[in-house]
Amino acid sequence: MTNTVDYIIVGAGSAGCVLANHLSSDARNQVLLIEAGRDTGALSLKMPAAVLSNLTSTTHNWAFQGEPEPGLDGRVIQHDRGKTIGGSSSINGMLFVRGAREDFDGWAALGNSGWGFDDLLPAFRSIENSAIESAGLRGHDGPMSVSRLRTTHPLGEVFLKAASEHGLPLNHDYNGATQEGVSPPQVTQRNGWRCSSARAFLAPARSRRNLTVLTGVDVEQLLFAQGESRCVGVKARTRSFRLLSGGEVILSAGALGSPKILMHSGIGDLAALSALSIRTRLHRPSVGANLQEHPNSVVCAHVNVRTYNMDATPLRMLRNAIYWAVTGRGPASSPYPHAVAFLRSSPNEPRPDLQMLFGPFAFSFDERGILPYAGPAVSIVVNACRPRGRGQLTLRDANPASPVRISHQLLADEDDLNRQIAGCKIARQLLQAKAFAPFIRGEYLPGPETLDDDAWRNHIRRTSFLGYHPVGTCRMGIDNDAVVDPRLKVRDVVGLRVADASIMPLIVSANTNAATMMIAEKASA
């Protein structure tokens, strides 16, 4: 590679791979993509059913440990983030959910011109290749393959019927005109194989002579021109990389990585950075603040038919893996959810405030946390779409190799907790619907003895977990506290942008991967 480049992209995750593809499509641009994880090409990153193995391993997972969470009975929660090319899109649950129109219109209403839903629809359409038709709202020739499941469990259809009995409308496309209703899932898969951002966007560009991809390189700080607020490159642990005149550094290290690099570069709360003896550069206390995440709670029941957690034996896993490798079908092609619902916790809600995922796979719980269940069972995962709780990410010390402190304050807000209680009660009602009557043998988590709100509250605090959707720590806005402006430029710095989930001022009402790729698509323009 050349010693200097036009663009340095830090992080080859969901956003970074999109940026690398587009910026290197102009042969005049010299582009450097830097990733701290490794590019292993492991089969577990391609097989959809390997989601749990990727989350329990640290080979491709940063597995950050958070601070004790007061809203979760003081439990320490693991933060799973992708540690490889493709980032979290290489280990996530593969759901492709844009979010609701109102989410993005809400960003625009905060003064972020160009970020309303109608402004962003072309970017959403251009990233996806979907066979789903929805009145001109979907993309059909983009790099990211979005498909239905190739193998479905029969209880997925039963859940759709149960939701319909409960009054939820069937929705052909929750990425279409409206999010509300119950639907089969849409997943980032191609022919039954995971389609990560690396496979969709980076792989077609890897052969370009003007694109250099470096893995296993941990960027620690930004470099600045002497006495100026102009970013001129980045410093990794063993070497530095510099920009050509007029070039830009783009941080795409995610909601946990991008603010960390900014703070170690002296951009953050000056008092906190000075206390750690970090040379300060720009007072921006909102760096690392505004951390948002979806709380996940679960209701599980025994059933009298075979479910996918019963395939977690060595022989069956091998058989399923071989069948999947040959056909792209079978249990190994399946992520967790086989149905998705967006609904209101009460009739008074102006729009859906809950998301539910139904899976032919269930969980047990002990001191280690949520674990696969041994027998035939199903589960419904409930999350509040737009939680009010706000957390914070801070530095532990001045050493860039030290992990950050992550405090989500998950479910510390009473309103968030009440929505989870309402959602879990509805989940129980769905499992008790007429459609499920021939199959359900009894609820076991939390169990039929959980009746009043205090009992539900104890269950939810004891067992809830993260949606793995951290956003907001480099908030976009037009106010003096915003980290980036609507063009994603770091305010009061030249030659530096942030383009990843950290710029979201408000979390979207769904899984965040699709919106993160959209942000990078817009940033590329």
Side-chain angles (χ1 to χ4, degrees):
M1 63 168 288
T2 58
N3 292 325
T4 52
V5 294
D6 296 290
Y7 295 102
I8 299 174
I9 305 166
V10 180
S14 296
C17 290
V18 176
L19 288 160
N21 179 301
H22 287 306
L23 296 180
S24 67
S25 64
D26 186 339
R28 295 171 296 180
N29 293 333
Q30 290 295 325
V31 180
L32 171 63
L33 177 63
I34 303 176
E35 167 58 36
R38 299 288 180 178
D39 186 8
T40 66
L43 188 64
S44 65
L45 302 179
K46 302 171 184 177
M47 182 189 298
V51 168
L52 282 179
S53 66
N54 288 326
L55 297 184
T56 55
S57 166
T58 56
T59 303
H60 305 113
N61 180 6
W62 286 104
F64 297 119
Q65 300 301 305
E67 298 298 296
E69 291 286 346
L72 300 179
D73 289 347
R75 288 186 289 132
V76 171
I77 305 297
Q78 180 169 297
H79 298 250
D80 297 315
R81 310 307 300 154
K83 186 182 179 183
T84 185
I85 291 287
S88 295
S89 75
S90 292
I91 67 168
N92 67 3
M94 288 160 281
L95 273 185
F96 186 88
V97 191
R98 290 175 173 176
R101 169 183 284 273
E102 295 91 339
D103 297 334
F104 307 106
D105 288 345
W107 295 3
L110 295 173
N112 297 299
S113 178
W115 289 88
F117 178 79
D118 289 335
D119 303 309
L120 301 176
L121 181 57
F124 271 123
R125 292 188 63 194
S126 65
I127 64 176
E128 70 170 322
N129 185 334
S130 172
I132 299 167
E133 295 288 348
S134 196
L137 295 175
R138 304 303 301 271
H140 306 297
D141 54 7
M144 175 55 72
S145 176
V146 179
S147 66
R148 302 287 192 193
L149 296 181
R150 285 164 65 87
T151 296
T152 57
H153 193 282
L155 289 182
E157 185 67 29
V158 173
F159 179 83
L160 298 181
K161 293 177 181 177
S164 181
E165 290 172 11
H166 188 75
L168 268 179
L170 291 174
N171 184 354
H172 166 70
D173 183 13
Y174 51 68
N175 289 315
T178 181
Q179 203 178 49
E180 188 165 16
V182 60
S183 314
Q186 299 176 33
V187 292
T188 49
Q189 291 184 10
R190 185 181 300 162
N191 298 325
W193 292 54
R194 176 190 291 273
C195 188
S196 66
S197 187
R199 183 182 181 192
F201 294 95
L202 187 58
R206 291 286 293 256
S207 61
R208 294 173 185 166
R209 297 180 64 182
N210 64 328
L211 172 63
T212 301
V213 181
L214 298 180
T215 59
V217 177
D218 214 337
V219 170
E220 297 183 335
Q221 293 174 303
L222 303 166
L223 299 175
F224 291 87
Q226 185 69 30
E228 298 182 26
S229 60
R230 179 165 53 91
C231 184
V232 296
V234 301
K235 178 183 177 298
R237 286 183 187 166
T238 57
R239 59 192 293 195
S240 297
F241 306 92
R242 290 189 171 266
L243 292 169
L244 290 164
S245 177
E248 291 191 1
V249 170
I250 307 166
L251 293 181
S252 296
L256 306 183
S258 290
K260 179 184 179 183
I261 294 170
L262 287 175
M263 288 188 284
H264 276 295
S265 305
I267 301 174
D269 184 281
L270 295 193
L273 298 180
S274 296
L276 297 177
S277 299
I278 293 175
R279 179 186 173 187
T280 58
R281 184 172 300 278
L282 180 63
H283 183 55
R284 196 68 78 231
S286 47
V287 172
N290 193 47
L291 177 60
Q292 297 164 63
E293 172 65 277
H294 288 128
N296 277 208
S297 308
V298 67
V299 175
C300 302
H302 297 114
V303 294
N304 58 11
V305 296
R306 187 175 190 83
T307 52
Y308 285 166
N309 42 304
M310 299 177 68
D311 285 329
T313 64
L315 184 59
R316 290 196 176 106
M317 289 169 64
L318 177 61
R319 180 193 64 192
N320 290 339
I322 293 172
Y323 181 70
W324 162 80
V326 174
T327 67
R329 300 181 185 275
S333 71
S334 174
Y336 164 73
H338 280 234
V340 179
F342 291 94
L343 63 157
R344 306 173 197 231
S345 60
S346 82
N348 298 326
E349 288 296 326
R351 63 187 178 108
D353 62 325
L354 295 173
Q355 181 187 24
M356 288 188 182
L357 307 177
F358 170 81
F361 187 98
F363 308 92
S364 59
F365 184 85
D366 64 17
E367 66 279 357
R368 295 167 291 176
I370 291 284
L371 301 167
Y373 187 71
V378 297
S379 58
I380 299 176
V381 173
V382 177
N383 79 67
C385 289
R386 295 172 298 282
R388 299 199 313 188
R390 297 292 183 270
Q392 188 172 18
L393 179 149
T394 56
L395 297 183
R396 198 171 299 274
D397 52 44
N399 182 1
S402 298
V404 291
R405 287 195 176 97
I406 308 167
S407 175
H408 268 299
Q409 297 298 310
L410 207 71
L411 295 178
D413 186 282
E414 196 69 18
D415 183 76
D416 296 343
L417 183 57
N418 288 336
R419 289 179 197 277
Q420 291 298 104
I421 293 172
C424 286
K425 289 179 178 178
I426 296 171
R428 170 181 281 174
Q429 293 169 12
L430 292 175
L431 291 175
Q432 293 174 345
K434 181 180 178 182
F436 270 116
F439 309 103
I440 297 293
R441 294 178 56 198
E443 177 186 302
Y444 71 87
L445 189 67
E449 67 280 1
T450 300
L451 295 172
D452 61 30
D453 282 359
D454 283 342
W456 277 112
R457 191 174 286 110
N458 290 336
H459 162 68
I460 288 168
R461 290 196 186 281
R462 185 175 64 91
T463 61
S464 292
F465 51 101
L466 299 172
Y468 308 121
H469 303 152
V471 308
T473 50
C474 296
R475 177 177 61 85
M476 172 176 62
I478 59 172
D479 58 286
N480 291 334
D481 288 332
V483 180
V484 300
D485 66 19
R487 293 185 60 80
L488 305 187
K489 294 180 178 180
V490 175
R491 294 177 51 252
D492 301 321
V493 178
V494 178
L496 177 63
R497 300 187 203 235
V498 180
D500 56 28
S502 71
I503 68 98
M504 295 186 192
L506 299 168
I507 196 167
V508 293
S509 304
N511 310 70
T512 51
N513 187 240
T516 301
M517 292 186 289
M518 175 277 294
I519 289 167
E521 183 78 12
K522 184 172 175 66
S524 300

